[in-house]
């Protein structure tokens, strides 16, 4: 794989399960080394967003906010300043001290999204991060935040199976198949290639 992703670009990655999407993100992040002779150059602060990454089900919502936000690189003092806003946005004011294992999947998703939108970085690696968060009303609220503040001025690398999100936001898309780049280009050109590839599986 040989590609450039530009500052301020919203770049999508598509591929079947096991095609190498998450592995590529981990290589960009520096969690995995590239193959011998390979090189990754990153300019700016980079973090990976995946809903619920770092959650401990036996801890309360309060403790998970501090745990999860610190994994996203937010200092403890700043988490304290943002705590009320995170809980309010997630609509979990009555469940601050409740263990996350008692949360519904929707409550967990709302909490995870609310924490993630407060992350601070130049480059976001989004691994199946967006889509299907909460009920219809919360989806509308989260989509507004996603569109108007989370992605503004940032470089986004977005792994997803959600073609509507890819179509709406991405300037370019990469298709991976068994760790190899099949196609790179604008969504309207690449998505039909991806759909044909899926039919062959």
């Amino acid at each position: 794989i040989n590609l450039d992703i530009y500052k301020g670009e919203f770049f999508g990655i598509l591929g079947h399960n096991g095609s190498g999407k998450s592995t590529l993100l981990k290589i960009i992040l520096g969690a995995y080394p590239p193959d011998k002779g390979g090189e990754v150059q990153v300019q700016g602060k980079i973090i990976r967003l995946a809903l619920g990454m770092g959650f401990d089900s036996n801890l309360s919502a309060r403790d998970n906010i501090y745990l999860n936000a610190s994994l996203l690189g937010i200092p403890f003092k700043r988490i304290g300043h943002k705590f009320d806003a995170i809980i309010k946005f997630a609509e979990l004011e009555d469940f601050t001290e409740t263990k996350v294992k008692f949360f519904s999947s929707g409550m967990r998703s709302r909490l995870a999204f609310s924490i993630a939108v407060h992350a601070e970085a130049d480059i976001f690696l989004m691994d199946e991060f967006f889509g299907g968060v909460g009920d219809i009303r919360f989806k509308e609220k989260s989509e507004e935040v996603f569109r108007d503040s989370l992605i503004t001025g940032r470089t986004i690398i977005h792994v997803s199976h959600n073609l509507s999100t890819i179509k709406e936001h991405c300037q370019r898309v990469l298709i991976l198949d068994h760790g190899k780049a099949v196609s790179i280009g604008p969504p309207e050109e690449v998505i039909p290639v991806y759909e044909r590839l899926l039919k062959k599986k």
Side-chain angles (χ1 to χ4, degrees):
I1 295 172
N2 185 17
L3 62 93
D4 293 312
I5 298 171
Y6 306 106
K7 183 177 180 180
E9 183 174 19
F10 199 117
F11 187 88
I13 303 176
L14 289 170
H16 60 83
N17 291 332
S19 63
K21 304 184 299 298
S22 295
T23 299
L24 178 58
L25 289 194
K26 289 172 183 175
I27 290 171
I28 294 170
L29 188 62
Y32 292 170
D35 288 341
K36 189 175 180 180
E39 183 182 18
V40 177
Q41 294 182 347
V42 176
Q43 295 179 341
K45 182 181 177 184
I46 187 169
I47 60 171
R48 177 173 171 250
L49 296 180
L51 283 181
M53 182 177 68
F55 269 5
D56 185 327
S57 295
N58 289 310
L59 296 179
S60 67
R62 178 185 299 278
D63 291 339
N64 269 294
I65 287 172
Y66 277 90
L67 173 63
N68 208 282
S70 63
L71 287 173
L72 294 175
I74 305 174
F76 258 53
K77 190 173 182 180
R78 195 169 301 160
I79 298 169
H81 291 314
K82 296 183 177 199
F83 182 87
D84 288 342
I86 291 170
I87 281 289
K88 185 176 180 181
F89 187 87
E91 302 170 3
L92 294 171
E93 294 95 331
D94 295 332
F95 302 96
T96 304
E97 308 306 332
T98 303
K99 290 182 179 180
V100 168
K101 68 181 178 182
F102 298 118
F103 281 12
S104 67
S105 58
M107 292 166 74
R108 288 176 66 104
S109 294
R110 295 203 310 268
L111 181 60
F113 183 84
S114 186
I115 295 167
V117 298
H118 288 86
E120 297 170 1
D122 306 303
I123 305 164
F124 281 176
L125 307 181
M126 297 184 174
D127 196 350
E128 296 290 358
F129 171 73
F130 194 71
V133 180
D135 58 23
I136 292 173
R137 187 179 54 78
F138 191 84
K139 282 179 189 176
E140 290 174 353
K141 184 169 75 168
S142 59
E143 283 169 4
E144 184 179 344
V145 169
F146 182 78
R147 183 180 62 248
D148 296 341
S149 61
L150 182 63
I151 65 176
T152 301
R154 294 187 172 103
T155 304
I156 309 294
I157 304 173
H158 185 54
V159 166
S160 180
H161 292 287
N162 188 331
L163 294 183
S164 61
T165 305
I166 295 287
K167 286 176 185 175
E168 182 178 354
H169 295 290
C170 293
Q171 283 93 43
R172 289 187 303 148
V173 182
L174 162 69
I175 297 177
L176 285 178
D177 185 32
H178 294 96
K180 295 181 180 179
V182 174
S183 180
I184 303 175
E188 61 270 19
E189 294 179 9
V190 170
I191 287 175
V193 177
Y194 174 64
E195 291 173 334
R196 288 195 297 271
L197 188 66
L198 286 181
K199 288 178 182 177
K200 294 178 181 178
K201 297 296 177 185

